[in-house]
Amino acid sequence: PVLNKAQREVSVVYALDVSRSVSPAFVGAALEWAQQANQKGKPAQSRYVVFGDNAQLVDSPEAVREIAVSDQAGAPKDAVQQGGTNLEQALNLAALGFAPNHAKRLVLLSDGNQTQGDVWRAFAQLQIQGVRLFAVPASVAVDNDAWVEAIEAPVGIRRGESAVVKVRVFARGN
């Protein structure tokens, strides 16, 4: 015999991007929004992943506010580094934050500017686990930012030799 029962209890994980590319004002507003969503929706459990180059999983908004965040090389090991965005690591850690035998809801609050990892691998795992993902786009820290995405050069170039090099540049503004 098999008993199928609908899941009524919901477990929510909020994944909050605190990388340098996200506006600091958005981070504060997103945390307030998550608290209001919890008060309105009353999930059985909610947790928070704070991420940049690395990620941390915590149980409350108060714990989120206590996390050390840095973009300096000599920062404490437990600080979330703002120099990059590893969406794959953040989503994988978020998957560990759900309560067992609950409906799983993941709210991703990010600008989506991935600098490390492969978010598509994480999406596949979340789908297998039955996680429903909701994305909230973050406002960016600056509108006229630009950076080098990649540099491609032929293998085996010798010193002083001419070569064609491809440089991929991304710019937010005109």
Side-chain angles (χ1 to χ4, degrees), residues 86-108:
N86 192 331
L87 288 169
E88 179 182 15
Q89 182 185 38
L91 296 180
N92 287 338
L93 184 59
L96 300 175
F98 293 112
N101 302 318
H102 285 64
K104 299 172 177 85
R105 305 293 182 257
L106 175 56
V107 180
L108 176 62

Side-chain angles (χ1 to χ4, degrees), residues 9-15 33-34 37-38 41-49 57-59 94 97-99 102-108 131-132 134:
E9 299 293 315
V10 175
S11 178
V12 179
V13 175
Y14 299 94
W33 177 85
N38 283 341
K42 298 188 184 345
Q45 181 224 22
S46 64
R47 297 185 81 188
Y48 301 82
V49 171
L57 176 66
V58 295
D59 294 326
F98 293 112
H102 285 64
K104 299 172 177 85
R105 305 293 182 257
L106 175 56
V107 180
L108 176 62
V131 176
R132 289 187 63 191
F134 301 91

Side-chain angles (χ1 to χ4, degrees), residues 1-173:
V2 175
L3 173 64
N4 290 325
K5 185 172 133 181
Q7 294 176 333
R8 293 182 182 249
E9 299 293 315
V10 175
S11 178
V12 179
V13 175
Y14 299 94
L16 179 59
D17 186 348
V18 296
S19 65
R20 209 176 4 212
S21 63
V22 173
S23 166
F26 173 82
V27 173
L31 194 54
E32 291 299 321
W33 177 85
Q35 287 181 280
Q36 291 173 4
N38 283 341
Q39 290 171 353
K40 186 176 179 181
K42 298 188 184 345
Q45 181 224 22
S46 64
R47 297 185 81 188
Y48 301 82
V49 171
V50 178
F51 71 97
D53 200 23
N54 56 327
Q56 288 189 30
L57 176 66
V58 295
D59 294 326
S60 69
E62 293 77 24
V64 169
R65 289 182 181 96
E66 293 173 4
I67 291 176
V69 177
S70 176
D71 62 355
Q72 303 298 321
K77 285 186 177 184
D78 61 343
V80 173
Q81 297 296 319
Q82 294 182 292
T85 305
N86 192 331
L87 288 169
E88 179 182 15
Q89 182 185 38
L91 296 180
N92 287 338
L93 184 59
L96 300 175
F98 293 112
N101 302 318
H102 285 64
K104 299 172 177 85
R105 305 293 182 257
L106 175 56
V107 180
L108 176 62
L109 303 130
S110 174
D111 64 353
N113 185 21
Q114 172 179 264
T115 59
Q116 293 180 9
D118 184 355
V119 72
W120 296 107
R121 281 193 300 246
F123 284 156
Q125 288 301 315
L126 293 172
Q127 186 176 27
I128 290 168
Q129 296 172 21
V131 176
R132 289 187 63 191
L133 176 67
F134 301 91
V136 177
S139 55
V140 295
V142 291
D143 291 330
N144 57 357
D145 195 13
W147 59 85
V148 175
E149 282 277 323
I151 299 174
E152 298 174 18
V155 179
I157 300 175
R158 295 183 183 187
R159 186 175 180 172
E161 183 179 356
S162 296
V164 175
V165 177
K166 293 181 184 178
V167 178
R168 196 169 348 136
V169 177
F170 181 85
R172 291 193 192 277

